Amino acid sequence: MNIDKEIEWLTNRMDEDFALLNEENLLPESCVPDEKILTGIRTRISARRLRLIIFRAAAVLIPVAFLAYAYIYINNRTPIFDDGETAEIVVPRGEHLQFLFQDGTHAYLEPETTIRYPKRFNLKERKITLEGAGYFVIEANKNRPFIIEVNGGQVQVLGTNFELYARPDERIIRLALDSGDVNFKAQTQKEHAIKPGQVMLYDKYDDKYTVLDNEAPASLTLWKNNILSFNDTPLAETLKKLERWYDVHFETPDTAANILSFTLDINGSLDECLTQMSKIAPITFKYKGKKNIEIVYEPVK
């Protein structure tokens, strides 16, 4: 029985009762007409119906408002969806940098390195782009993998320490793992996992992996402590690294000097470095301006 039928039934009963009272002369002189009574009843029922509608609306809107607030609060700290807003860090020649991401991940960046990253990582993953070289201490989070995209592939980790060398203009990507688990996925979709104490070399041009045991793991990462380490490193590769770290340019007129290689650790100025190299090999260095240095090869006869 709906409300209108209830009102109609109640009205009919009241009319019958009033008629009976009227026949028996039992109605007081100031009796209230039944229409007025009906209007009052309708008013109260309407008010009750309005309150019921308000309560029902509140029951729906309050949870919605709470969820909206929770979304805004969480999204301000960690966006649920990627808003596309990114930042970029460029480390020039002659400088190196330590950087802390918002999730607690620590990055040590070599000279001539660029990283791009979202200003706030989303809930699904933590993804950045690297052009250059860096050592990463990834904050562990099994539900949000840390992904580093490089020219030639990407590195996927959950929480670990590793060195990544991936310069766009060089053929080889080097990944040296100190702890944890790392998975490298090439652009060809080939994947390879390495273990702590291993070094992976990936040839971007031939799509080939080589995994070696890292016999001197500290030598690859001494640079983050301002120590340059060379282990039987060819002259050309040695000079290239010195150019980045000291923002200079070397000239080698006599290409016969390229047969030389160097094993040494450098922790000091460029002049100290060149002095050590001159003691190891038959070469001297001649400054031609502030940043141009010529290599004079003097082989032993």
Side-chain angles (χ1 to χ4, degrees):
M1 183 180 294
N2 56 37
I3 294 178
D4 291 334
K5 289 184 178 181
E6 291 179 356
I7 294 174
E8 183 180 358
W9 177 84
L10 181 60
T11 302
N12 292 335
R13 288 296 307 271
M14 291 177 63
D15 288 341
E16 293 175 0
D17 291 341
F18 270 91
L20 181 61
L21 292 173
N22 188 42
E23 291 176 0
E24 298 180 1
N25 295 319
L26 296 176
L27 281 176
E29 295 181 359
S30 60
C31 67
V32 181
D34 59 346
E35 287 297 330
K36 189 173 183 180
I37 294 175
L38 179 59
T39 301
I41 292 174
R42 288 183 181 276
T43 301
R44 289 174 181 169
I45 292 175
S46 297
R48 181 182 177 186
R49 182 184 295 175
L50 180 61
R51 287 195 298 270
L52 182 60
I53 292 173
I54 292 174
F55 289 150
R56 287 177 177 174
V60 174
L61 294 177
I62 289 176
V64 171
F66 175 78
L67 291 175
Y69 172 80
Y71 169 81
I72 294 171
Y73 178 79
I74 294 174
N75 197 54
N76 283 338
R77 295 174 175 268
T78 305
I80 296 175
F81 303 104
D82 185 5
D83 58 9
E85 190 174 4
T86 61
E88 180 179 85
I89 293 178
V90 179
V91 185
R93 281 189 172 203
E95 298 183 19
H96 55 285
L97 176 71
Q98 294 186 40
F99 182 75
L100 187 67
F101 290 97
Q102 68 267 32
D103 71 327
T105 290
H106 204 151
Y108 301 81
L109 304 177
E110 276 197 9
E112 283 193 316
T113 293
T114 299
I115 60 171
R116 299 177 186 87
Y117 61 96
K119 290 188 176 180
R120 292 174 295 158
F121 292 131
N122 61 40
L123 289 177
K124 181 181 177 182
E125 62 188 11
R126 299 167 289 170
K127 181 183 289 187
I128 70 170
T129 301
L130 171 73
E131 296 176 359
Y135 185 87
F136 296 87
V137 181
I138 306 298
E139 185 71 13
N141 188 333
K142 64 180 181 179
N143 297 319
R144 296 169 69 203
F146 199 101
I147 299 173
I148 304 178
E149 293 188 333
V150 298
N151 180 266
Q154 65 175 214
V155 177
Q156 301 174 345
V157 300
L158 297 179
T160 181
N161 300 355
F162 62 94
E163 190 244 11
L164 178 60
Y165 186 95
R167 296 192 178 276
D169 59 341
E170 296 189 20
R171 179 171 186 162
I172 301 297
I173 294 175
R174 184 182 70 226
L175 178 60
L177 181 60
D178 283 344
S179 65
D181 297 310
V182 168
N183 184 60
F184 180 82
K185 179 188 289 187
Q187 287 182 342
T188 58
Q189 300 306 309
K190 288 185 179 180
E191 296 188 33
H192 198 91
I194 66 172
K195 300 177 181 179
Q198 292 183 330
V199 178
M200 183 208 74
L201 303 176
Y202 174 66
D203 190 321
K204 294 187 291 186
Y205 300 160
D206 292 339
D207 190 30
K208 292 183 179 179
Y209 292 92
T210 302
V211 178
L212 307 171
D213 290 330
N214 191 357
E215 298 179 356
S219 64
L220 291 178
T221 57
L222 281 174
W223 60 264
K224 66 187 179 67
N225 298 318
N226 299 324
I227 301 174
L228 300 185
S229 182
F230 301 93
N231 183 19
D232 198 23
T233 306
L235 174 64
E237 187 177 334
T238 301
L239 296 179
K240 195 169 186 178
K241 191 163 189 175
L242 294 178
E243 286 179 338
R244 287 195 177 104
W245 279 82
Y246 292 101
D247 190 19
V248 293
H249 174 69
F250 290 97
E251 298 176 2
T252 311
D254 190 348
T255 57
N258 289 329
I259 65 171
L260 301 174
S261 60
F262 296 85
T263 298
L264 75 161
D265 292 338
I266 300 170
N267 183 15
S269 66
L270 176 61
D271 288 338
E272 292 173 339
C273 169
L274 300 183
T275 299
Q276 288 188 54
M277 293 177 66
S278 294
K279 292 178 180 179
I280 295 173
I283 55 175
T284 57
F285 299 90
K286 182 187 297 184
Y287 278 88
K288 299 174 64 176
K290 187 176 180 179
K291 293 188 176 183
N292 293 318
I293 304 172
E294 181 181 309
I295 296 176
V296 180
Y297 180 45
E298 300 173 342
V300 178
K301 297 181 179 180

